[in-house]
DNA sequence: ATGAAAGCGCTAACAC
DNA sequence: GTGTTAGCGCTTTCAT
């Protein structure tokens, strides 16, 4: 590894001068064009990169940001992977290391938080589920001087900037899509309230009356079995429907399986949409139309916001627009 | 953040003494029991943790290890996530930050490698696909003094320690399982040679003759469509079979879909197994029996090995035993 | 038994 | 225009 010292010695100038020229921060002083050129040339030649440890130590920073991730959207959604990829991209571009922790249960999360003071990070990114128990520990971290940015579906506190996909918009998009396709009676699997709102708004805007019988309630449950249960209930109750807006790809796949068991064809008899645009979409018996939450983009943005906060800037929460990906199921 | 200096000043002793007592490395000298106690008490009271930057700077290390990951096993396999979780666990326990990069195409990987000299890491973990083009760049990194450990299905070079699940064993396990279940004519989707070997070994050990017609060849392809194509070919050629050992969960699911289209029942008429034990298994029309590659364990182990190498120790490649997870499809 | 000093790589205030 | 100095937090050698 080349250091400032190496360059300074080879050129017979002082370390400080090399530092100033390379960083471009000349302070009150200047440098002759000749030395400038020589230093920059040497820098390139030796492929010099400042040692982040030196920089951070001097600046009183840690050269690392913490990332706490709760695997969200269920296994196989690919959300976590996309999110991480986005985060990693931004952090790499800014020469920041990361301190990565996957937490499964909230208990683990709280435990991690209690170690804040010893965690040696410049900032903290928390991604996952917006549990109320998380608010206090996170605020405590903020107060201790470590800026936090969250990536959760509902902002935890006005004090903590958050990034997320527009949740209501997700179901709004897919419901509008099914209406466009000619569906008149669209069923819905209700797990998050915001998504129910998006579904209802789409109906309202198209003058379709809301029918409570078409909504299956299963708060906070997004698994395959819940899609199966929803379809089973509708069929048992004799509810007629020609579309299903599910709140996850897992639910949608479960619904498709159950429809198939009753020889109901997708998309001919019933059109189905999911949420997450996960890899499951292509592993579905009928490729699944789904709404992408754009987690990679969320990760990139959240990391950028956090780095800004580390620098002392103020940032505001951001909302990302979801995208509809149409496949054979609709 | 508490520093050695804080503790030293509060106790009216020298920084050096505090450092020695806390680290336990007393060198040629000693310390009175009284001061020892006082220092350790203060350390606990102030929740002191050495600043990794100071430690690393002094030791000439970088306090970070690089992780290059190629999302393997296809999207949705969950392999990458498990692997990362394992790596993160070990690194956290050892107070090491990481420099995470996801590379999609080999091109990107090579580009990253060329930045080795500037990447400021103590070691490099490479996980993903064992492409031949990767060998040279990785060896170059090794030669430059940065130890590398890989997590790929086939070791790239004797010089680079590797960790992976026993690949042949994976299909050996599932083939034996199907034989146990009474299957006489087991078809196989051949993508990796090692897995074909495992399949053939299981047949041999059970005195079942190998029938080339039962093997569908699709080297290095693990997607849903390849499972579909395999079944289609067997049916077209009039090959009879009562079991399918696929080389990925995606392939297995594709096979199940195609069987279903021909009204062939799983597991009644044909038993099916996959590889990866991915989240897809539970989103399959019939829950899928699969072999787990234990990537979390691989990640933990690989990170441990890399840290040992960083310390200058020599380590040997390791092989992890896969585990069969039996579900309804078999 | 304890401490002073040097130095890892870097930057910034302040000489000259 | 250029250099000197001090110091971020830590460890280790060598005094005392």
């Amino acid at each position: 590894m080349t250091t400032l010292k190496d360059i300074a010695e080879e050129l017979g100038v002082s370390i400080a001068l090399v530092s100033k020229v390379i960083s471009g921060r000349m302070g009150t002083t200047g440098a002759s064009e000749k030395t400038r050129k020589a230093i920059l040339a040497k820098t390139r030649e030796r492929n010099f990169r400042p040692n982040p440890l030196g920089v951070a130590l001097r600046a009183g920073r840690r050269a690392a940001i913490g990332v706490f991730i709760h695997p969200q959207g269920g296994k196989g959604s690919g959300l976590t992977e996309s999110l991480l990829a986005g985060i990693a991209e931004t952090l790499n571009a800014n020469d920041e290391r990361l301190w990565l922790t996957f937490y499964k249960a909230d208990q683990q999360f709280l435990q991690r938080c209690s170690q804040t003071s010893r965690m040696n990070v410049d900032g903290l990114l928390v991604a996952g589920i917006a549990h109320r128990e998380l608010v206090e520990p996170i605020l405590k971290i903020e107060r201790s001087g470590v800026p936090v940015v969250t990536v959760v579906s509902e902002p935890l506190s006005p004090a903590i900037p958050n990034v997320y996909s527009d949740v209501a918009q997700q179901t709004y998009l897919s419901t509008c899509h099914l209406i466009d396709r000619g569906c008149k009676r669209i069923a819905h699997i209700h797990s998050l309230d915001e998504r129910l709102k998006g579904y209802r708004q789409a109906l309202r805007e198209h003058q379709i009356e809301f029918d409570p019988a078409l909504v299956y309630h299963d708060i906070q449950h997004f698994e395959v079995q819940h899609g199966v249960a929803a379809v089973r209930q509708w069929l048992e109750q004799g509810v007629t429907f020609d579309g299903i807006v599910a709140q996850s790809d897992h639910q949608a796949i479960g619904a498709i399986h159950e429809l198939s068991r009753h020889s109901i064809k997708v998309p001919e008899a019933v059109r189905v949409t999911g949420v997450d645009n996960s890899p499951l979409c292509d592993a579905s018996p009928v490729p699944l139309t789904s709404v992408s939450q754009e987690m990679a983009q969320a990760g990139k943005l959240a990391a950028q916001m956090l780095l800004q906060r580390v620098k002392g800037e103020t940032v505001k929460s951001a909302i990302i627009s979801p995208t509809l990906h149409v496949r054979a199921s609709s």
Side-chain angles (χ1 to χ4, degrees), chain A:
Chain A
M1 272 301 294
T2 316
T3 66
L4 288 182
K5 198 180 173 192
D6 297 332
I7 298 184
E9 279 172 3
E10 282 190 53
L11 259 39
V13 296
S14 76
I15 297 177
L17 188 55
V18 178
S19 167
K20 284 184 236 169
V21 167
I22 290 179
S23 69
R25 274 167 273 124
M26 296 301 293
T28 60
T29 61
S32 77
E33 196 52 27
K34 198 176 135 214
T35 12
R36 269 183 53 78
K37 285 261 172 69
I39 289 173
L40 292 175
K42 215 35 159 196
T43 301
R44 194 131 349 118
E45 177 199 328
R46 302 290 239 90
N47 195 13
F48 170 82
R49 290 279 295 219
N51 182 335
L53 270 58
V55 179
L57 190 58
R58 155 82 208 192
R61 291 188 302 100
R62 311 272 147 200
I65 75 127
V67 177
F68 284 4
I69 291 202
H70 182 119
Q72 44 184 335
K75 272 290 205 173
S77 66
L79 293 189
T80 306
E81 203 177 309
S82 304
L83 182 67
L84 258 179
I87 293 172
E89 196 181 322
T90 298
L91 294 186
N92 288 345
N94 288 274
D95 231 333
E96 286 273 353
R97 271 72 182 141
L98 56 88
W99 194 81
L100 179 65
T101 302
F102 289 87
Y103 67 97
K104 301 280 160 55
D106 290 331
Q107 199 47 44
Q108 262 177 296
F109 178 84
L110 299 178
Q111 202 183 328
R112 286 291 171 190
C113 286
S114 70
Q115 302 173 345
T116 316
S117 58
R118 27 164 72 193
M119 80 191 168
N120 281 311
V121 293
D122 295 321
L124 183 63
L125 208 55
V126 177
I129 316 291
H131 272 305
R132 221 157 283 125
E133 302 91 86
L134 305 187
V135 181
E136 246 330 297
I138 289 180
L139 283 174
K140 200 171 144 204
I141 292 176
E142 267 279 339
R143 275 185 240 114
S144 80
V146 176
V148 180
V149 169
T150 55
V151 185
V152 294
S153 57
E154 289 171 55
L156 289 172
S157 148
I160 314 277
N162 182 61
V163 178
Y164 215 77
S165 160
D166 187 333
V167 181
Q169 184 72 9
Q170 293 162 8
T171 41
Y172 175 80
L173 281 181
S174 40
T175 308
C176 286
H177 167 67
L178 289 192
I179 295 172
D180 278 355
R181 287 285 205 242
C183 293
K184 303 291 181 201
R185 289 190 49 79
I186 302 174
H188 181 56
I189 304 179
H190 166 214
S191 302
L192 287 186
D193 290 341
E194 282 299 312
R195 292 201 181 126
L196 175 60
K197 282 188 198 162
Y199 159 79
R200 295 194 62 167
Q201 193 194 334
L203 295 182
R204 201 177 317 122
E205 287 182 10
H206 292 81
Q207 284 87 40
I208 298 180
E209 205 184 335
F210 172 69
D211 179 357
L214 282 168
V215 177
Y216 175 84
H217 300 278
D218 210 340
I219 306 301
Q220 294 278 4
H221 288 129
F222 301 93
E223 298 309 312
V224 173
Q225 72 218 58
H226 305 111
V228 171
V231 167
R232 200 166 285 164
Q233 177 179 302
W234 291 321
L235 293 180
E236 276 171 9
Q237 299 184 342
V239 177
T240 61
F241 56 97
D242 54 7
I244 300 176
V245 169
Q247 288 202 6
S248 77
D249 290 340
H250 290 83
Q251 290 173 353
I253 299 242
I256 292 178
H257 288 163
E258 189 61 17
L259 290 172
S260 157
R261 261 172 233 128
H262 292 270
S263 305
I264 299 173
K265 290 238 167 129
V266 175
E268 293 82 353
V270 176
R271 297 176 192 273
V272 181
T273 68
V275 170
D276 282 349
N277 194 39
S278 69
L280 290 180
C281 294
D282 293 316
S284 162
V286 185
L288 181 66
T289 291
S290 188
V291 180
S292 164
Q293 305 206 50
E294 309 294 348
M295 293 309 280
Q297 201 190 329
K300 263 166 80 169
L301 185 56
Q304 272 160 14
M305 285 166 50
L306 184 57
L307 292 179
Q308 284 181 277
R309 291 206 68 196
V310 169
K311 285 191 212 127
E313 299 170 31
T314 307
V315 301
K316 284 195 300 190
S317 290
I319 289 180
I320 296 192
S321 297
T323 319
L324 182 72
H325 297 263
V326 179
R327 297 195 183 81
S329 73
S330 67

